[in-house]
Amino acid sequence: MTTYLLKRFGTGLVLVFLVLTLIFFVVRAVPGDPAQLLASGGSEGQASEEAVEQMRELLGLNLPLWQQFAL
């Protein structure tokens, strides 16, 4: 019984990791810039480039993908 539960738990962990990975990369593939949208307060195109860069740094969007995924 214990080995069955451990196998199910391990399978569940692998499944969660795969789903999180898939969602992470699908969200990155969607067009648009979340930093631009958040920096402008919801109306795209009105934020300064400095505000957008600060938002990217705050959200960690300026990091490589593997580091973003680790966060």
Side-chain angles (χ1 to χ4, degrees), residues 28 56-57 59-69 71:
R28 294 302 182 267
R56 281 190 187 118
E57 187 173 331
L59 296 174
L61 296 174
N62 57 343
L63 300 172
L65 278 179
W66 68 270
Q67 287 180 336
Q68 290 180 32
F69 185 72
L71 293 176

Side-chain angles (χ1 to χ4, degrees), residues 33 35-36 49 51-63:
D33 186 6
Q36 175 74 32
E49 191 60 36
V52 173
E53 281 301 317
Q54 286 177 345
M55 187 62 67
R56 281 190 187 118
E57 187 173 331
L58 178 68
L59 296 174
L61 296 174
N62 57 343
L63 300 172

